[in-house]
């Protein structure tokens, strides 16, 4: 999926100037690549946040001042360590005829047999890394968990993908598993000790 985004030229690069951009609803950023010398830009915050929320790994056709439309991907997003607000974003210009390495979201579908039996579904990876031509980059990868039983898992190597996609994540990594249900501790009836038994016999003899 290719999305459109419009960039504006950014002259100021000081901390106060970047802060001024953010206060006006814009996020400072930079675009670079093999055919582009690093260029400072800014992006409308609403557009960028919508992109990060829905298609953070998509190919973006960016309209860049003085450069025209460029195919780019988000390379890095910087956030405030406390507020988690986006403070800066890096875009990498790509060649549509050359393979790219990208992170793709995993969509887990199905009603697991193991979960129906009381097991606990544990997702280890929400995304994997793949390499392919930009036009072949999927929006997400579906993982069918309907046959997943208690004690079983699905490995990266078990994904059924197009031959156009090369998986870069370790093939032995576990994507998802179903853990056995936690058994409640059985109540064990305490056996009377010799002392308590003797006390009971004494109480009986007094009663007589």
């Amino acid at each position: 999926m290719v999305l459109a985004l419009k960039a504006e030229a950014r002259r100021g690069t000081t901390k106060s100037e970047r802060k001024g951009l953010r206060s006006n609803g814009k996020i400072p950023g930079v675009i670079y690549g093999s055919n582009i010398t690093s260029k400072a830009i800014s992006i409308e915050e609403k557009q960028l946040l919508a992109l990060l929320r829905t298609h953070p790994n998509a190919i973006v056709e960016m309209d860049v001042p003085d450069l025209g439309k460029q195919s780019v991907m988000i390379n890095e997003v910087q956030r405030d360590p406390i507020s988690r607000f986006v403070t800066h974003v890096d875009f990498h210009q790509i060649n549509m005829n050359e393979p790219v390495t990208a992170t793709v979201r995993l969509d887990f579908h199905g009603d697991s047999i193991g979960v129906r039996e009381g097991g606990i579904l544990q997702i280890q990876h929400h995304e994997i890394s793949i390499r392919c031509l930009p036009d072949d980059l999927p929006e997400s990868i579906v993982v069918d968990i309907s046959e997943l039983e208690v004690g079983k898992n699905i490995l990266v190597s078990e994904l059924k993908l197009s031959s156009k996609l090369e998986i870069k994540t370790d093939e032995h990594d576990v994507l998802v598993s179903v853990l056995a249900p936690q058994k409640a501790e059985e109540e064990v009836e305490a056996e009377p000790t010799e002392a308590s038994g003797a006390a009971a016999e004494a109480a009986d003899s007094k009663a007589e």
Side-chain angles (χ1 to χ4, degrees), residues 18-19 22 26-29 48 77-81 83-89:
R18 292 197 300 270
K19 185 177 180 180
R22 290 191 290 270
K26 300 180 187 295
I27 301 296
L48 179 61
V77 177
Q78 298 176 22
R79 296 178 182 271
D80 183 277
S83 67
R84 303 305 298 163
F85 290 152
V86 176
T87 58
H88 192 275
V89 60

Side-chain angles (χ1 to χ4, degrees), residues 126-139:
H126 289 275
E127 55 190 23
I128 62 168
S129 177
I130 65 172
R131 183 173 176 78
C132 62
L133 288 173
D135 281 337
D136 296 326
L137 186 65
E139 183 177 348

